[in-house]
Amino acid sequence: MSSNDSSSAFIKEILDTPKDFLHDGQIFLNRCTKPDRKEFLKIAQAVGVGFLVMGTIGYFVKLIHIPVNNILVGGA
């Protein structure tokens, strides 16, 4: 009977895991609030600056990569 008890406890634990996850997720969503206008603009500005910085870095990497690649490969 001991193996039966342990297997039923294991099955119960497997079934309780999604329930606990959904419960924790619902608590988290209830605590969350929408950002106000000031906070939203600050986040949008930070994302925009990030896009510009990453785009600039990518442009300069590509700008350097093309001549180096032509030197290494040999203009084939």
Side-chain angles (χ1 to χ4, degrees):
M1 287 292 190
S2 177
S3 66
N4 192 16
D5 291 338
S6 64
S7 65
S8 65
F10 179 71
I11 292 172
K12 185 175 182 331
E13 183 180 337
I14 289 177
L15 293 177
D16 284 344
T17 302
K19 289 178 188 175
D20 293 340
F21 178 75
L22 290 174
H23 183 258
D24 292 343
Q26 190 171 13
I27 290 172
F28 175 76
L29 287 177
N30 287 339
R31 276 193 209 163
C32 292
T33 59
K34 282 187 173 181
D36 59 351
R37 184 171 179 81
K38 183 179 176 184
E39 185 180 9
F40 177 78
L41 290 175
K42 187 180 245 185
I43 292 169
Q45 184 181 14
V47 169
V49 169
F51 272 112
L52 286 174
V53 168
M54 292 303 289
T56 304
I57 291 171
Y59 176 76
F60 283 113
V61 166
K62 188 69 172 176
L63 194 66
I64 293 169
H65 176 266
I66 291 172
V68 170
N69 193 28
N70 284 338
I71 291 169
L72 292 176
V73 175

Coordinates of all heavy atoms in Angstrom, one line a residue:
M1 N 0.8 -1.2 0.0 CA 0.0 0.0 0.0 C 0.9 1.3 0.0 O 0.4 2.3 -0.4 CB -0.9 0.0 1.2 CG -2.0 -1.0 1.2 SD -3.2 -0.4 -0.1 CE -4.5 -1.5 0.2
S2 N 2.1 1.1 0.4 CA 2.9 2.3 0.5 C 3.2 2.9 -0.9 O 3.3 4.1 -1.0 CB 4.2 1.9 1.2 OG 5.1 3.1 1.2
S3 N 3.4 2.0 -1.9 CA 3.7 2.5 -3.2 C 2.5 3.2 -3.8 O 2.6 4.1 -4.6 CB 4.2 1.3 -4.1 OG 3.1 0.4 -4.3
N4 N 1.3 2.7 -3.4 CA 0.0 3.3 -3.9 C -0.1 4.7 -3.3 O -0.6 5.6 -4.0 CB -1.2 2.4 -3.5 CG -2.4 2.8 -4.3 OD1 -2.4 3.6 -5.2 ND2 -3.6 2.3 -3.8
D5 N 0.2 4.9 -2.1 CA 0.1 6.2 -1.4 C 1.1 7.2 -2.1 O 0.7 8.3 -2.3 CB 0.4 6.1 0.1 CG -0.7 5.3 0.8 OD1 -1.9 5.3 0.3 OD2 -0.4 4.8 1.9
S6 N 2.3 6.7 -2.3 CA 3.3 7.6 -2.9 C 2.9 8.0 -4.4 O 3.1 9.1 -4.8 CB 4.7 7.0 -2.9 OG 4.7 5.8 -3.7
S7 N 2.3 7.0 -5.1 CA 1.9 7.3 -6.5 C 0.7 8.3 -6.5 O 0.7 9.2 -7.4 CB 1.6 6.0 -7.3 OG 0.5 5.4 -6.7
S8 N -0.2 8.1 -5.6 CA -1.3 9.0 -5.5 C -0.9 10.4 -5.1 O -1.4 11.4 -5.6 CB -2.4 8.5 -4.6 OG -2.0 8.5 -3.3
A9 N 0.1 10.5 -4.2 CA 0.6 11.8 -3.8 C 1.4 12.5 -5.0 O 1.2 13.7 -5.2 CB 1.6 11.6 -2.6
F10 N 2.1 11.6 -5.8 CA 2.8 12.2 -6.9 C 1.8 12.7 -8.0 O 1.9 13.8 -8.5 CB 3.6 11.1 -7.5 CG 4.4 11.5 -8.8 CD1 5.4 12.4 -8.7 CD2 4.0 11.0 -10.0 CE1 6.1 12.8 -9.8 CE2 4.7 11.4 -11.2 CZ 5.7 12.3 -11.1
I11 N 0.7 12.0 -8.2 CA -0.4 12.4 -9.1 C -1.0 13.7 -8.6 O -1.3 14.6 -9.4 CB -1.4 11.3 -9.4 CG1 -0.7 10.2 -10.1 CG2 -2.6 11.8 -10.1 CD1 -1.6 8.9 -10.3
K12 N -1.3 13.7 -7.3 CA -1.9 14.9 -6.7 C -1.0 16.1 -6.9 O -1.4 17.2 -7.2 CB -2.2 14.7 -5.3 CG -3.0 15.8 -4.6 CD -3.3 15.5 -3.2 CE -4.1 16.5 -2.4 NZ -3.9 17.8 -2.7
E13 N 0.3 15.9 -6.7 CA 1.3 17.0 -6.9 C 1.3 17.5 -8.3 O 1.4 18.7 -8.6 CB 2.7 16.6 -6.4 CG 3.7 17.7 -6.5 CD 5.1 17.2 -6.1 OE1 5.1 16.2 -5.3 OE2 6.0 17.8 -6.5
I14 N 1.3 16.6 -9.3 CA 1.3 17.0 -10.7 C 0.0 17.8 -11.0 O 0.1 18.7 -11.8 CB 1.4 15.7 -11.6 CG1 2.8 15.1 -11.5 CG2 1.1 16.0 -13.0 CD1 3.0 13.8 -12.2
L15 N -1.1 17.4 -10.5 CA -2.4 18.1 -10.8 C -2.4 19.5 -10.1 O -3.1 20.4 -10.6 CB -3.6 17.2 -10.4 CG -3.8 16.0 -11.2 CD1 -4.9 15.2 -10.7 CD2 -4.0 16.3 -12.7
D16 N -1.8 19.6 -8.9 CA -1.8 20.8 -8.2 C -0.9 21.9 -8.8 O -1.1 23.1 -8.6 CB -1.4 20.6 -6.7 CG -2.6 20.0 -5.9 OD1 -3.7 20.0 -6.4 OD2 -2.3 19.5 -4.8
T17 N 0.1 21.5 -9.5 CA 1.1 22.4 -10.0 C 0.5 23.5 -11.0 O 0.7 24.7 -10.8 CB 2.3 21.7 -10.7 OG1 2.9 20.8 -9.8 CG2 3.3 22.7 -11.2
P18 N -0.3 23.1 -12.0 CA -0.9 24.1 -12.8 C -1.9 25.0 -12.1 O -2.0 26.2 -12.3 CB -1.7 23.3 -13.9 CG -1.1 21.9 -13.9 CD -0.6 21.7 -12.5
K19 N -2.6 24.4 -11.1 CA -3.6 25.2 -10.3 C -2.8 26.3 -9.5 O -3.2 27.4 -9.5 CB -4.3 24.3 -9.3 CG -5.3 23.4 -10.0 CD -6.0 22.6 -8.9 CE -6.9 21.5 -9.6 NZ -7.5 20.6 -8.6
D20 N -1.7 25.9 -8.9 CA -0.9 26.9 -8.2 C -0.3 28.0 -9.1 O -0.3 29.1 -8.7 CB 0.3 26.2 -7.4 CG -0.2 25.3 -6.3 OD1 -1.3 25.5 -5.8 OD2 0.6 24.4 -5.9
F21 N 0.1 27.5 -10.3 CA 0.6 28.5 -11.2 C -0.4 29.5 -11.7 O -0.2 30.7 -11.7 CB 1.2 27.7 -12.5 CG 1.7 28.7 -13.5 CD1 2.9 29.3 -13.4 CD2 1.0 28.9 -14.7 CE1 3.4 30.1 -14.4 CE2 1.4 29.7 -15.7 CZ 2.7 30.3 -15.5
L22 N -1.6 29.0 -12.0 CA -2.7 29.9 -12.4 C -3.1 30.9 -11.2 O -3.4 32.0 -11.4 CB -3.9 29.1 -12.8 CG -3.7 28.4 -14.2 CD1 -4.9 27.5 -14.5 CD2 -3.5 29.4 -15.3
H23 N -3.1 30.3 -10.0 CA -3.5 31.2 -8.8 C -2.4 32.3 -8.6 O -2.8 33.4 -8.4 CB -3.6 30.3 -7.6 CG -4.0 31.0 -6.4 ND1 -3.1 31.4 -5.4 CD2 -5.2 31.5 -6.0 CE1 -3.7 32.0 -4.5 NE2 -5.0 32.1 -4.8
D24 N -1.1 31.9 -8.7 CA -0.1 32.9 -8.6 C -0.2 33.9 -9.7 O 0.1 35.1 -9.5 CB 1.3 32.3 -8.5 CG 1.5 31.4 -7.3 OD1 0.8 31.6 -6.3 OD2 2.4 30.6 -7.3
G25 N -0.4 33.5 -10.9 CA -0.6 34.4 -12.0 C -1.7 35.4 -11.9 O -1.6 36.6 -12.2
Q26 N -2.8 34.9 -11.3 CA -4.0 35.8 -11.1 C -3.7 36.8 -10.0 O -4.0 38.0 -10.2 CB -5.2 34.9 -10.7 CG -6.5 35.7 -10.7 CD -7.7 34.8 -10.6 OE1 -7.6 33.6 -10.2 NE2 -8.9 35.3 -10.8
I27 N -3.0 36.4 -9.0 CA -2.6 37.4 -7.9 C -1.7 38.4 -8.5 O -1.8 39.6 -8.3 CB -1.9 36.6 -6.8 CG1 -3.0 35.8 -6.0 CG2 -1.2 37.6 -5.8 CD1 -2.4 34.9 -5.0
F28 N -0.7 38.0 -9.4 CA 0.2 38.9 -10.0 C -0.5 39.9 -10.9 O -0.3 41.1 -10.8 CB 1.3 38.2 -10.8 CG 2.2 39.1 -11.6 CD1 3.2 39.7 -10.9 CD2 2.0 39.2 -12.9 CE1 4.1 40.5 -11.6 CE2 2.9 40.0 -13.6 CZ 3.9 40.7 -13.0
L29 N -1.5 39.5 -11.7 CA -2.2 40.4 -12.6 C -3.1 41.3 -11.8 O -3.3 42.5 -12.2 CB -3.0 39.6 -13.6 CG -2.2 38.9 -14.7 CD1 -3.2 38.0 -15.5 CD2 -1.5 39.9 -15.5
N30 N -3.6 40.9 -10.7 CA -4.4 41.8 -9.9 C -3.6 42.9 -9.2 O -4.1 44.0 -9.0 CB -5.2 41.0 -8.8 CG -6.3 40.2 -9.4 OD1 -6.8 40.4 -10.4 ND2 -6.7 39.2 -8.6
R31 N -2.3 42.6 -9.0 CA -1.4 43.7 -8.4 C -0.9 44.7 -9.4 O -0.6 45.8 -9.0 CB -0.2 43.0 -7.7 CG -0.5 42.5 -6.4 CD 0.9 42.2 -5.7 NE 0.6 41.1 -4.7 CZ 1.5 40.4 -4.2 NH1 2.8 40.5 -4.6 NH2 1.2 39.5 -3.3
C32 N -0.9 44.3 -10.7 CA -0.3 45.1 -11.7 C -1.3 46.3 -12.0 O -2.5 46.2 -11.9 CB -0.1 44.3 -13.0 SG 1.1 43.1 -12.9
T33 N -0.6 47.4 -12.3 CA -1.4 48.6 -12.7 C -0.9 49.1 -14.0 O 0.3 48.9 -14.4 CB -1.3 49.7 -11.6 OG1 0.1 50.1 -11.5 CG2 -1.8 49.3 -10.3
K34 N -1.7 49.8 -14.7 CA -1.3 50.4 -16.0 C -0.4 51.6 -15.7 O -0.6 52.3 -14.7 CB -2.5 51.0 -16.8 CG -3.3 50.0 -17.5 CD -4.4 50.6 -18.3 CE -5.1 49.7 -19.2 NZ -6.1 50.3 -20.1
P35 N 0.6 51.9 -16.5 CA 1.4 53.0 -16.3 C 0.7 54.3 -16.6 O -0.2 54.3 -17.5 CB 2.6 52.8 -17.3 CG 2.0 51.9 -18.4 CD 1.0 51.1 -17.7
D36 N 1.0 55.4 -15.9 CA 0.4 56.6 -16.2 C 1.1 57.2 -17.4 O 2.0 56.7 -17.9 CB 0.4 57.6 -15.0 CG 1.8 57.9 -14.5 OD1 2.7 57.2 -15.0 OD2 2.0 58.7 -13.6
R37 N 0.6 58.4 -17.9 CA 1.1 59.0 -19.1 C 2.6 59.3 -19.0 O 3.4 59.0 -19.9 CB 0.3 60.2 -19.4 CG 0.7 60.8 -20.8 CD -0.3 62.0 -21.1 NE 0.1 62.6 -22.4 CZ -0.2 62.1 -23.6 NH1 -0.8 61.0 -23.7 NH2 0.2 62.8 -24.6
K38 N 3.0 59.8 -17.8 CA 4.4 60.2 -17.7 C 5.3 59.0 -17.7 O 6.4 59.0 -18.4 CB 4.6 60.9 -16.3 CG 6.0 61.4 -16.0 CD 6.0 62.1 -14.7 CE 7.4 62.6 -14.4 NZ 7.5 63.2 -13.0
E39 N 4.9 57.9 -17.0 CA 5.7 56.7 -17.0 C 5.8 56.0 -18.4 O 6.8 55.6 -18.8 CB 5.1 55.7 -16.0 CG 5.9 54.5 -15.8 CD 5.3 53.5 -14.8 OE1 4.2 53.8 -14.3 OE2 6.0 52.5 -14.4
F40 N 4.7 56.0 -19.1 CA 4.6 55.5 -20.4 C 5.5 56.2 -21.4 O 6.3 55.6 -22.1 CB 3.2 55.5 -21.0 CG 3.1 55.0 -22.4 CD1 3.1 53.6 -22.6 CD2 3.0 55.9 -23.4 CE1 3.0 53.2 -23.9 CE2 2.9 55.4 -24.7 CZ 2.9 54.0 -25.0
L41 N 5.5 57.6 -21.3 CA 6.4 58.3 -22.2 C 7.9 58.1 -21.9 O 8.7 58.0 -22.8 CB 6.1 59.8 -22.1 CG 4.7 60.2 -22.7 CD1 4.4 61.7 -22.4 CD2 4.7 59.9 -24.2
K42 N 8.2 57.9 -20.6 CA 9.6 57.7 -20.2 C 10.0 56.3 -20.7 O 11.1 56.2 -21.3 CB 9.7 57.7 -18.7 CG 11.1 57.6 -18.2 CD 11.1 57.6 -16.7 CE 11.8 58.9 -16.2 NZ 11.9 59.0 -14.8
I43 N 9.2 55.3 -20.7 CA 9.5 54.0 -21.2 C 9.6 54.0 -22.7 O 10.6 53.5 -23.3 CB 8.4 52.9 -20.8 CG1 8.5 52.7 -19.3 CG2 8.6 51.6 -21.5 CD1 7.4 51.9 -18.7
A44 N 8.7 54.7 -23.4 CA 8.8 54.8 -24.8 C 10.0 55.5 -25.3 O 10.7 55.2 -26.3 CB 7.5 55.5 -25.3
Q45 N 10.4 56.6 -24.5 CA 11.6 57.3 -24.9 C 12.9 56.4 -24.7 O 13.8 56.4 -25.5 CB 11.8 58.5 -24.0 CG 12.9 59.4 -24.3 CD 13.0 60.6 -23.4 OE1 12.3 60.7 -22.3 NE2 13.8 61.6 -23.7
A46 N 12.9 55.6 -23.6 CA 14.1 54.7 -23.4 C 14.1 53.7 -24.5 O 15.2 53.4 -25.0 CB 13.9 54.1 -22.0
V47 N 13.0 53.2 -24.9 CA 13.0 52.2 -26.0 C 13.4 52.8 -27.3 O 14.2 52.2 -28.1 CB 11.6 51.5 -26.1 CG1 11.5 50.7 -27.4 CG2 11.3 50.7 -24.9
G48 N 13.0 54.0 -27.6 CA 13.4 54.7 -28.8 C 14.9 55.0 -28.8 O 15.5 54.7 -29.9
V49 N 15.4 55.4 -27.7 CA 16.9 55.6 -27.7 C 17.6 54.3 -27.8 O 18.7 54.3 -28.5 CB 17.3 56.3 -26.3 CG1 18.8 56.3 -26.1 CG2 16.7 57.7 -26.3
G50 N 17.1 53.3 -27.3 CA 17.7 51.9 -27.4 C 17.8 51.5 -28.9 O 18.8 51.0 -29.4
F51 N 16.7 51.7 -29.6 CA 16.6 51.4 -31.0 C 17.6 52.2 -31.8 O 18.3 51.7 -32.7 CB 15.2 51.7 -31.6 CG 14.3 50.5 -31.5 CD1 13.2 50.6 -30.6 CD2 14.4 49.4 -32.2 CE1 12.3 49.5 -30.5 CE2 13.6 48.3 -32.1 CZ 12.5 48.4 -31.3
L52 N 17.7 53.5 -31.5 CA 18.7 54.3 -32.2 C 20.1 53.9 -31.9 O 21.0 53.8 -32.9 CB 18.5 55.8 -31.8 CG 17.3 56.5 -32.4 CD1 17.1 57.9 -31.8 CD2 17.4 56.6 -33.9
V53 N 20.5 53.6 -30.7 CA 21.8 53.2 -30.3 C 22.1 51.9 -31.0 O 23.2 51.7 -31.6 CB 22.0 53.1 -28.8 CG1 23.3 52.4 -28.4 CG2 21.9 54.5 -28.2
M54 N 21.2 50.9 -30.9 CA 21.5 49.6 -31.5 C 21.6 49.7 -33.1 O 22.4 49.0 -33.7 CB 20.4 48.6 -31.1 CG 20.5 48.2 -29.7 SD 22.0 47.5 -29.1 CE 22.0 46.0 -29.9
G55 N 20.8 50.5 -33.7 CA 20.8 50.7 -35.1 C 22.1 51.4 -35.5 O 22.7 51.0 -36.5
T56 N 22.6 52.4 -34.8 CA 23.8 53.0 -35.1 C 25.0 52.0 -34.9 O 25.9 52.0 -35.8 CB 24.1 54.2 -34.1 OG1 22.9 55.1 -34.3 CG2 25.3 55.0 -34.5
I57 N 25.0 51.3 -33.9 CA 26.1 50.3 -33.7 C 26.1 49.3 -34.9 O 27.1 48.9 -35.4 CB 25.9 49.6 -32.4 CG1 26.2 50.5 -31.2 CG2 26.8 48.3 -32.3 CD1 25.9 50.0 -29.8
G58 N 24.9 48.8 -35.2 CA 24.8 47.8 -36.3 C 25.3 48.4 -37.7 O 25.9 47.8 -38.5
Y59 N 24.9 49.7 -37.9 CA 25.4 50.4 -39.1 C 26.9 50.5 -39.2 O 27.5 50.2 -40.2 CB 24.8 51.8 -39.2 CG 25.2 52.6 -40.4 CD1 24.7 52.3 -41.6 CD2 26.2 53.6 -40.2 CE1 25.2 53.1 -42.7 CE2 26.6 54.3 -41.3 CZ 26.1 54.1 -42.5 OH 26.6 54.8 -43.6
F60 N 27.5 50.9 -38.1 CA 29.0 51.0 -38.1 C 29.7 49.6 -38.2 O 30.7 49.5 -38.8 CB 29.5 51.8 -36.9 CG 29.3 53.2 -37.0 CD1 28.4 53.9 -36.2 CD2 30.0 53.9 -38.0 CE1 28.2 55.3 -36.4 CE2 29.8 55.3 -38.2 CZ 28.9 56.0 -37.4
V61 N 29.1 48.6 -37.6 CA 29.6 47.2 -37.7 C 29.6 46.8 -39.2 O 30.6 46.3 -39.7 CB 28.9 46.3 -36.8 CG1 29.2 44.8 -37.1 CG2 29.3 46.5 -35.3
K62 N 28.5 47.0 -39.8 CA 28.3 46.7 -41.2 C 29.2 47.5 -42.1 O 29.8 47.0 -43.0 CB 26.8 46.9 -41.6 CG 26.5 46.3 -43.0 CD 26.6 44.8 -43.0 CE 26.1 44.3 -44.4 NZ 26.2 42.9 -44.5
L63 N 29.4 48.8 -41.7 CA 30.3 49.7 -42.5 C 31.7 49.2 -42.4 O 32.5 49.3 -43.4 CB 30.2 51.1 -41.9 CG 30.7 52.2 -42.7 CD1 29.9 52.4 -44.0 CD2 30.6 53.5 -41.9
I64 N 32.1 48.7 -41.3 CA 33.5 48.1 -41.1 C 33.6 46.7 -41.7 O 34.6 46.4 -42.3 CB 33.9 48.2 -39.7 CG1 34.0 49.6 -39.2 CG2 35.2 47.4 -39.4 CD1 34.1 49.7 -37.7
H65 N 32.6 46.0 -41.6 CA 32.6 44.6 -42.1 C 32.8 44.4 -43.6 O 33.5 43.6 -44.1 CB 31.3 43.8 -41.7 CG 31.2 42.4 -42.1 ND1 30.6 42.1 -43.3 CD2 31.7 41.3 -41.7 CE1 30.6 40.8 -43.5 NE2 31.3 40.3 -42.5
I66 N 32.1 45.3 -44.4 CA 32.2 45.2 -45.8 C 33.6 45.3 -46.4 O 34.1 44.4 -47.1 CB 31.2 46.2 -46.5 CG1 29.8 45.8 -46.2 CG2 31.4 46.3 -48.0 CD1 28.7 46.8 -46.6
P67 N 34.4 46.4 -46.0 CA 35.7 46.4 -46.6 C 36.6 45.3 -46.0 O 37.5 44.8 -46.8 CB 36.3 47.8 -46.1 CG 35.1 48.5 -45.6 CD 34.0 47.6 -45.3
V68 N 36.5 45.0 -44.8 CA 37.3 43.9 -44.2 C 37.0 42.6 -44.9 O 37.9 41.8 -45.3 CB 37.1 43.8 -42.7 CG1 37.7 42.5 -42.1 CG2 37.6 45.0 -42.0
N69 N 35.7 42.3 -45.2 CA 35.4 41.1 -45.9 C 35.9 41.1 -47.3 O 36.4 40.1 -47.8 CB 33.8 41.0 -45.9 CG 33.4 39.6 -46.4 OD1 34.1 38.6 -46.2 ND2 32.2 39.5 -47.0
N70 N 35.9 42.2 -48.0 CA 36.5 42.3 -49.3 C 38.0 42.1 -49.3 O 38.5 41.4 -50.3 CB 36.2 43.7 -50.0 CG 34.7 43.8 -50.4 OD1 34.1 42.7 -50.6 ND2 34.2 45.0 -50.5
I71 N 38.7 42.5 -48.3 CA 40.1 42.3 -48.2 C 40.4 40.8 -48.0 O 41.2 40.2 -48.6 CB 40.7 43.2 -47.1 CG1 40.7 44.6 -47.5 CG2 42.1 42.7 -46.8 CD1 41.0 45.6 -46.3
L72 N 39.6 40.2 -47.1 CA 39.8 38.8 -46.7 C 39.5 37.9 -47.9 O 40.2 36.9 -48.2 CB 39.1 38.4 -45.4 CG 39.6 39.1 -44.2 CD1 38.6 38.7 -43.0 CD2 41.0 38.7 -43.8
V73 N 38.3 38.1 -48.5 CA 37.8 37.2 -49.5 C 38.5 37.6 -50.8 O 38.8 36.7 -51.7 CB 36.3 37.3 -49.6 CG1 35.8 36.5 -50.8 CG2 35.6 36.9 -48.4
G74 N 38.8 38.8 -51.1 CA 39.5 39.2 -52.3 C 38.6 39.6 -53.4 O 38.9 39.2 -54.6
G75 N 37.6 40.3 -53.2 CA 36.8 40.9 -54.3 C 36.3 39.9 -55.3 O 36.3 40.2 -56.5
A76 N 36.0 38.7 -55.0 CA 35.6 37.7 -55.9 C 34.3 37.9 -56.5 O 33.4 38.4 -56.5 CB 35.6 36.3 -55.3

